[in-house]
Amino acid sequence: MSLLSDLINLNLSEATEKIIAEYVWIGGSGMDLRSKARTLSGPVSDPSKLPKWNYDGSSTGQASGEDSEVILYPQAIFRDPFRRGKNILVMCDAYTPAGDPLPTNKRHEAAKIFSHPNVVAEEPWYGIEQEYTLLQKDVKWPIGWPTGGYPGPQGPYYCGVGADKAFGRDIVNAHYKACLYAGINISGINGEVMPGQWEFQVGPAIGISAGDELWMARYILERITEIAGVVLSFDPKPIEGDWNGAGAHTNYSTKSMRKEGGFEVIKKAIEKLGHRHKEHIAAYGEGNERRLTGKHETANISTFKWGVANRGASVRVGRETEKDGKGYFEDRRPASNMDPYVVTSMIAETTILGKI
């Protein structure tokens, strides 16, 4: 096994200028990440310089067998923490051979919104809090939990320390460092309220990059759990009953919100979000109704309310923002399995472009 490990960790730059590019894309379910690798003649830092590629869409639920070719467009480049050296990970989106985006390509529409002059002028910043659950491979039950049974009630696990409170820390720390190595603006990690559940934060990131970075962070986490023999779940309510669900709270600000007097801009933006509550909820992740019950630090899915420092609200404003009269707010509605391209662009569309 040591020889296998040595071969995996070979430094290619000692023997060749060629590099390996791992192309990453989103499959037909909207949550299944796929990837495959190709050899390039040398290092590349600009995604527009990378070749387009194709794959069999009939095998990912994105095309029929009679016309199965789907084209990958490279959109963002990250350093590869698995192969290291000058090798890269490439975030792609998917198109038909005629150049039309697939229905599952949510990045394409998001890019249109983020390129709108009014949105560009406001420089929207995002910070996404991605919660997830680590499951035992064979029984699909959270790690650290007795098989078929339950641990002690919630309370000691949030940001907890100790073998009876924190389960999977090696995976979490490996992911943290791998994301930093990749060039993802990961800003922190913490243990969550339910044991076996964790969170990482991506941001601040501007515009479309928030979606690129979160998707690549998810990919890296999926690869690490693959190595560890653990199953990664983004289910918004993995365990029914008196256990916290998993969300993807989305922190947001614009240039106007970050300036003096920004709190008034924030309040107007929140009012706009309230008017489109149903539309946002419909786009904020599958199974979110099991999570947004009005309990476990959530607002009920059928109501919209906001408040300062209120984790039971749809939208929360921090005490510091209230005190400073400017800053950001947190949309607490998105589920852990939301598409960040959809959520980030929709928030900008509602609050900046004023879509009703």
Side-chain angles (χ1 to χ4, degrees):
M1 290 301 291
S2 60
L3 178 57
L4 180 60
S5 179
D6 288 344
L7 290 170
I8 290 171
N9 293 312
L10 272 176
N11 183 355
L12 293 180
S13 63
E14 294 177 355
T16 180
E17 289 294 315
K18 294 179 180 180
I19 68 158
I20 301 171
E22 188 81 24
Y23 280 42
V24 179
W25 72 94
I26 301 157
S29 75
M31 276 301 292
D32 56 318
L33 283 160
R34 311 281 180 138
S35 75
K36 61 177 183 173
R38 67 183 298 164
T39 305
L40 302 177
S41 59
V44 180
S45 57
D46 181 351
S48 68
K49 305 296 184 185
L50 287 167
K52 294 174 184 175
W53 205 7
N54 64 74
Y55 67 92
D56 171 18
S58 68
S59 296
T60 62
Q62 293 171 295
S64 66
E66 294 77 27
D67 187 12
S68 66
E69 189 166 291
V70 176
I71 311 302
L72 291 172
Y73 288 30
Q75 299 292 358
I77 292 174
F78 300 88
R79 291 184 293 274
D80 187 340
F82 304 102
R83 295 188 177 103
R84 305 181 192 178
K86 295 179 180 178
N87 303 300
I88 56 176
L89 302 175
V90 184
M91 193 67 220
C92 305
D93 59 354
Y95 297 79
T96 68
D100 299 317
L102 296 193
T104 50
N105 180 353
K106 306 304 182 184
R107 190 187 192 279
H108 181 77
E109 286 302 314
K112 287 182 182 178
I113 293 170
F114 284 122
S115 63
H116 190 288
N118 294 355
V119 177
V120 172
E122 280 290 354
E123 293 181 9
W125 290 5
Y126 298 91
I128 302 174
E129 305 171 29
Q130 176 68 71
E131 295 176 342
Y132 60 93
T133 308
L134 299 174
L135 305 178
Q136 300 170 49
K137 183 179 178 182
D138 296 326
V139 295
K140 302 296 175 66
W141 199 239
I143 64 171
W145 290 39
T147 302
Y150 297 86
Q154 296 182 153
Y157 310 108
Y158 173 69
C159 298
V161 179
D164 58 343
K165 294 181 283 294
F167 311 117
R169 192 182 295 276
D170 285 353
I171 292 170
V172 173
N173 280 331
H175 177 248
Y176 195 179
K177 286 190 173 182
C179 284
L180 287 171
Y181 180 94
I184 294 167
N185 193 23
I186 185 170
S187 49
I189 58 169
N190 61 267
E192 265 305 325
V193 178
M194 190 183 84
Q197 195 175 84
W198 295 81
E199 173 184 300
F200 66 88
Q201 303 94 36
V202 167
I206 300 174
I208 198 75
S209 65
D212 291 336
E213 292 188 28
L214 188 72
W215 272 116
M216 190 55 74
R218 285 174 170 177
Y219 173 80
I220 291 171
L221 182 56
E222 191 89 67
R223 288 281 304 275
I224 291 171
T225 55
E226 173 190 322
I227 294 166
V230 169
V231 174
L232 173 63
S233 172
F234 290 114
D235 191 305
K237 188 70 174 181
I239 304 295
E240 295 299 322
D242 196 20
W243 304 96
N244 272 35
H249 304 153
T250 302
N251 298 276
Y252 171 71
S253 72
T254 63
K255 184 183 287 186
S256 298
M257 294 175 191
R258 297 188 291 269
K259 289 180 178 178
E260 293 300 322
F263 195 22
E264 291 304 313
V265 181
I266 287 172
K267 287 191 281 188
K268 289 177 183 176
I270 294 172
E271 183 180 355
K272 292 177 182 178
L273 289 173
H275 290 319
R276 295 190 75 204
H277 177 63
K278 289 183 179 179
E279 291 87 346
H280 279 257
I281 286 295
Y284 274 16
E286 294 294 324
N288 211 9
E289 72 282 351
R290 294 183 284 115
R291 167 181 162 262
L292 296 180
T293 61
K295 300 178 180 179
H296 305 109
E297 302 182 46
T298 70
N300 189 282
I301 194 168
S302 62
T303 61
F304 180 88
K305 63 179 182 177
W306 73 277
V308 177
N310 183 0
R311 283 184 162 77
S314 311
V315 172
R316 181 185 70 87
V317 174
R319 289 287 182 200
E320 188 175 0
T321 294
E322 180 188 45
K323 176 176 174 288
D324 294 344
K326 60 183 178 180
Y328 69 96
F329 64 82
E330 174 192 38
D331 191 339
R332 296 180 58 80
R333 297 171 295 171
S336 51
N337 60 2
M338 63 82 157
D339 188 320
Y341 294 133
V342 173
V343 169
T344 57
S345 62
M346 195 172 191
I347 292 173
E349 181 183 52
T350 299
T351 62
I352 299 173
L353 301 182
K355 182 170 180 179
I356 298 174

